[in-house]
Amino acid sequence: MGLSLFGLRLVLKPKKTNQKRQREPRFAFMTKSDVDHLEDGYRWRKYGQKAVKNSPFPRSYYRCTSASCNVKKRVERSFSDPSIVVTTYEGQHIHPSPVMPRPSFAGAASESGFSATTFAMPMQRRLSLYQQQQQPLSIASHLWVSVITEQQMLVFYMKGAFAPTQRGLLCLRIMGFLKTLSLPYAKRGVDENTIATL
DNA sequence: CGCCTTTGACCGGCGC
DNA sequence: GCGCCGGTCAAAGGCG
């Protein structure tokens, strides 16, 4: 915080909150995608981009455009596998998603665009719904989801085809589902049968 | 005109 | 203190 005057920056007295900038809980997911910025139902404004050390790909910083909503996310491409995009979310939205995933899901959509009933739907039915309503699915789009918590990273592998434009949304719903389990999921994990019911 | 991205400067923490 | 590094600011420009 400061004033800029003819290139001279006057730094105002910084407010001395004792809290040393505690970080909101973060989670991340990875997915194969050609596009870096996946659609996830929220509107974002990019506010920075930095080179990543030891990686040819930059990291982009986004902030939720909703007023007083401090959710941020980072997007970067994995340097070990350039076809994979890593998206990291920080913070929780204090408002509903401005973009409802599907009108037919509107009743079941919660703040995060997810509800248990939505996920209780068998995968085959969900897929057929997507196939009816979406553009053609790209076949080679198996979805990796990794949950990164304080100390641990869990990686899930979902078989199936998902439209590229829907993957970000789907990943957020998976995160919402994990939160409905009694946590910490970092310790419990989720077995294959549970994943299969997604 | 409003909203967004781009981009170099700036800032604070940390290791040496 | 100094330099590196990750993260953020904000002026300028793009675009519908």
Side-chain angles (χ1 to χ4, degrees):
Chain A
M1 202 56 81
L3 294 174
S4 237
L5 187 62
F6 303 123
L8 175 65
R9 171 170 290 225
L10 306 174
V11 178
L12 300 180
K13 190 60 185 171
K15 54 181 60 176
K16 188 64 177 300
T17 55
N18 270 345
Q19 304 171 346
K20 52 184 333 184
R21 184 135 303 276
Q22 57 187 13
R23 290 212 165 278
E24 299 285 329
R26 288 183 293 178
F27 68 84
F29 65 78
M30 309 185 211
T31 184
K32 282 183 184 293
S33 173
D34 296 335
V35 292
D36 290 356
H37 199 185
L38 301 171
E39 178 59 49
D40 59 10
Y42 290 91
R43 295 175 57 229
W44 303 89
R45 174 164 31 249
K46 187 174 183 177
Y47 67 88
Q49 173 172 306
K50 289 290 287 188
V52 178
K53 204 185 162 197
N54 297 327
S55 170
F57 308 107
R59 172 184 300 145
S60 295
Y61 299 87
Y62 296 87
R63 207 192 314 272
C64 183
T65 58
S66 180
S68 72
C69 181
N70 274 342
V71 177
K72 293 177 238 180
K73 76 171 177 180
R74 293 179 296 188
V75 176
E76 64 189 281
R77 201 161 275 282
S78 166
F79 81 98
S80 55
D81 184 349
S83 69
I84 289 181
V85 167
V86 183
T87 306
T88 305
Y89 288 89
E90 178 175 339
Q92 265 188 311
H93 292 284
I94 59 174
H95 57 93
S97 164
V99 182
M100 276 302 111
R102 298 254 67 80
S104 59
F105 287 170
S110 65
E111 170 188 325
S112 62
F114 164 83
S115 78
T117 57
T118 303
F119 259 81
M121 190 185 303
M123 180 59 84
Q124 287 305 318
R125 170 147 172 68
R126 292 170 53 76
L127 279 179
S128 65
L129 270 180
Y130 277 123
Q131 284 163 348
Q132 288 167 17
Q133 301 174 4
Q134 300 296 316
Q135 59 272 35
L137 300 169
S138 79
I139 299 304
S141 58
H142 287 187
L143 181 66
W144 288 91
V145 179
S146 78
V147 181
I148 302 173
T149 61
E150 301 299 327
Q151 304 292 336
Q152 205 165 352
M153 176 192 298
L154 291 179
V155 177
F156 303 102
Y157 179 58
M158 301 192 62
K159 294 174 76 172
F162 302 94
T165 55
Q166 290 295 320
R167 275 177 234 166
L169 210 52
L170 184 57
C171 285
L172 281 196
R173 290 181 178 183
I174 291 171
M175 296 308 153
F177 171 77
L178 291 175
K179 287 177 184 174
T180 67
L181 304 175
S182 30
L183 300 188
Y185 48 77
K187 290 179 180 173
R188 290 184 43 174
V190 178
D191 59 28
E192 288 186 6
N193 290 332
T194 304
I195 293 298
T197 65
L198 296 181

